[in-house]
Amino acid sequence: MFQEFDIKAFFIKNRKQVLISIFLFWFFFALLIMIEDEIAFRIYGMKADFVDRLQYFIRWVLWTLLTPLIIFLAIKFPIQKNQLVWGIGKHFILAILFTALEFMIEIPLIRLATLKITGAMPAVSNYAVVFILKFNIYLLLYFLVLGTTYLVLYVNSYNQSKILAGEAHIKNQLLQTQLVEAKLSLLKMQLDPHFLFNTHHSIVSLMLNNENEKAIKMLTGLSDLLRHSLDDQQQTIPLEKELHLLKLYLGIQETRFHEKLKVSFHIDSLALDQKVPAFILQPLVENAIKHGIAVSSKANTISVSATMADGSLILKVENDGVLIDYNHYREGIGISNTRERLKQLYDGQSKFELKNNDHDSVTASITIPKTQ
């Protein structure tokens, strides 16, 4: 009935308010009954009997004390929408048992109180008529408490759902903003004058050397890279699509750095259809080129891998050459954005690590939950 709502936690958190509400509910209910009786007595010129007043007091104190039992039964045996008749019937039986229990406690207490006041204890049979007359009213009171309980739970469940929906909306908006930022960061890198100059220079050099096929391939790669960076609006995309975008970018960089840059891919075939955050690998590769390949004097390799392990997808970008100097290293926008996107998308179930390896290489690794 309230699958998304933690009823136990609600009552524990609001136990003081619940107990006060129960007391006030029955206090004003009993007060209303007493006022009605007083008006009736005055109309007919009668005087209220103290023993009768005491019976009312004992009765409503019992109802106050036993109300948590009705709340417990309401939660334990919820009335489901798809089993409405059975649910109401079940509570009708519980209402009868509850009423019988209330009378079993009420009658001995009233008899004992009457004995203390009048010196005579009325027979149990004297209360048979009272039981019959009050039975229907007690059933209605049971269902009144039952309905009030469901109303309170429904309102609080609805409010919680609205809060969660609002939080989810804000979170989604934040993710959309971060995706836009990632795209803008990628586009900025692609439109960076130095990058475009080198790409243009490489294309011209290829054409001057009559390597027109390579020049066309490089120009096409640049065009495709720009188009893909703007086309995709999804938060997550298949790894296969992410790798396609990455290869377009690396293709341009390989042409730019010639033999200085080598690229290798080690991709588990089972990982290709796994969903990954869009543009999640490009900042890692860009970081490896900027801080590793570009400042190294020798040929270097960037290795990209994707493996499945223990219900997780592990993505790694490794480059040899220059290690991270943590004394002077400052995390750039691309890496910090990657951390934050993973945090928002996977709510603490992801892991990002950037570290130096023993064999003079640097590895950036991302671990995210497996897509069902």
Side-chain angles (χ1 to χ4, degrees):
M1 187 176 184
F2 304 99
Q3 292 87 349
E4 304 287 333
F5 187 60
D6 191 337
I7 297 175
K8 183 178 179 181
F10 168 77
F11 279 110
I12 291 175
K13 181 180 179 181
N14 301 282
R15 57 185 178 276
K16 185 177 180 180
Q17 292 91 325
V18 171
L19 293 175
I20 292 174
S21 298
I22 291 173
F23 171 78
L24 292 176
F25 178 85
W26 290 116
F27 174 79
F28 286 109
F29 192 91
L31 184 63
L32 180 62
I33 297 296
M34 291 178 65
I35 292 172
E36 289 178 347
D37 285 350
E38 186 66 29
I39 293 173
F41 284 139
R42 288 181 181 275
I43 291 174
Y44 292 103
M46 300 169 61
K47 188 175 182 180
D49 184 78
F50 178 74
V51 175
D52 289 336
R53 293 295 191 207
L54 183 61
Q55 289 180 3
Y56 273 120
F57 176 77
I58 292 173
R59 185 170 299 142
W60 300 121
V61 166
L62 281 175
W63 271 92
T64 302
L65 295 176
L66 290 174
T67 293
L69 176 59
I70 301 178
I71 295 174
F72 171 78
L73 293 173
I75 298 169
K76 185 70 174 177
F77 305 101
I79 298 177
Q80 303 289 352
K81 185 178 180 180
N82 56 347
Q83 295 181 327
L84 190 61
V85 176
W86 167 239
I88 295 175
K90 186 163 46 179
H91 275 285
F92 185 79
I93 296 171
L94 290 172
I96 294 174
L97 295 175
F98 178 86
T99 302
L101 172 66
E102 197 282 333
F103 269 103
M104 288 173 61
I105 301 173
E106 177 186 321
I107 292 174
L109 289 176
I110 292 176
R111 292 180 69 211
L112 182 62
T114 304
L115 176 64
K116 293 290 184 180
I117 295 171
T118 64
M121 180 178 289
V124 176
S125 58
N126 293 352
Y127 295 94
V129 176
V130 177
F131 177 79
I132 294 172
L133 292 176
K134 296 289 184 181
F135 182 74
N136 291 338
I137 297 175
Y138 281 19
L139 288 182
L140 291 175
L141 288 177
Y142 175 93
F143 278 96
L144 175 62
V145 175
L146 189 74
T148 303
T149 300
Y150 285 145
L151 177 62
V152 170
L153 290 177
Y154 175 80
V155 169
N156 282 275
S157 175
Y158 177 74
N159 289 336
Q160 186 187 63
S161 298
K162 286 185 67 177
I163 292 172
L164 292 175
E167 290 176 349
H169 177 71
I170 292 172
K171 185 175 181 180
N172 184 61
Q173 289 296 104
L174 179 60
L175 287 171
Q176 290 291 346
T177 301
Q178 290 177 336
L179 179 58
V180 170
E181 289 176 353
K183 289 180 179 180
L184 290 175
S185 178
L186 175 62
L187 187 58
K188 181 182 177 183
M189 179 278 302
Q190 293 162 352
L191 295 178
D192 181 89
H194 183 67
F195 171 78
L196 288 177
F197 173 79
N198 286 320
T199 304
H200 177 264
H201 179 73
S202 299
I203 293 172
V204 172
S205 297
L206 291 171
M207 293 175 67
L208 291 174
N209 293 327
N210 291 320
E211 297 182 90
N212 295 335
E213 189 174 334
K214 289 183 179 180
I216 293 173
K217 182 179 179 182
M218 189 174 184
L219 187 59
T220 303
L222 178 61
S223 176
D224 288 344
L225 183 58
L226 292 170
R227 179 171 53 82
H228 279 286
S229 68
L230 296 174
D231 281 351
D232 210 313
Q233 299 296 320
Q234 295 177 305
Q235 284 289 351
T236 58
I237 58 176
L239 176 61
E240 187 173 15
K241 190 172 183 179
E242 175 75 5
L243 291 173
H244 174 67
L245 175 64
L246 186 64
K247 287 174 181 178
L248 290 175
Y249 170 72
L250 282 169
I252 296 171
Q253 295 291 3
E254 282 181 303
T255 305
R256 174 188 167 191
F257 287 100
H258 300 285
E259 298 299 324
K260 190 178 177 182
L261 172 62
K262 296 181 180 180
V263 180
S264 65
F265 285 88
H266 307 278
I267 310 299
D268 185 342
S269 59
L270 297 176
L272 289 174
D273 61 346
Q274 292 293 305
K275 291 293 185 71
V276 300
F279 307 106
I280 200 70
L281 289 176
Q282 184 274 333
L284 305 184
V285 173
E286 179 189 357
N287 196 63
I289 291 174
K290 182 178 179 180
H291 297 286
I293 308 301
V295 296
S296 176
S297 58
K298 61 178 183 177
N300 298 108
T301 301
I302 290 180
S303 177
V304 180
S305 66
T307 56
M308 305 296 299
D310 300 325
S312 298
L313 171 63
I314 303 172
L315 305 172
K316 290 184 179 181
V317 175
E318 181 178 349
N319 66 282
D320 55 15
V322 181
L323 299 177
I324 299 173
D325 182 1
Y326 286 104
N327 293 324
H328 301 93
Y329 175 74
R330 285 187 62 187
E331 196 169 89
I333 294 175
I335 298 299
S336 60
N337 182 275
T338 298
R339 289 186 188 277
E340 185 62 24
R341 288 183 66 207
L342 289 171
K343 178 183 176 182
Q344 294 295 328
L345 273 170
Y346 300 103
D347 197 21
Q349 297 183 49
S350 63
K351 181 180 178 182
F352 177 78
E353 189 176 25
L354 184 64
K355 66 175 183 177
N356 291 326
N357 301 317
D358 294 335
H359 50 280
D360 293 334
S361 65
V362 178
T363 299
S365 63
I366 293 174
T367 304
I368 57 178
K370 175 185 176 183
T371 306
Q372 298 298 327

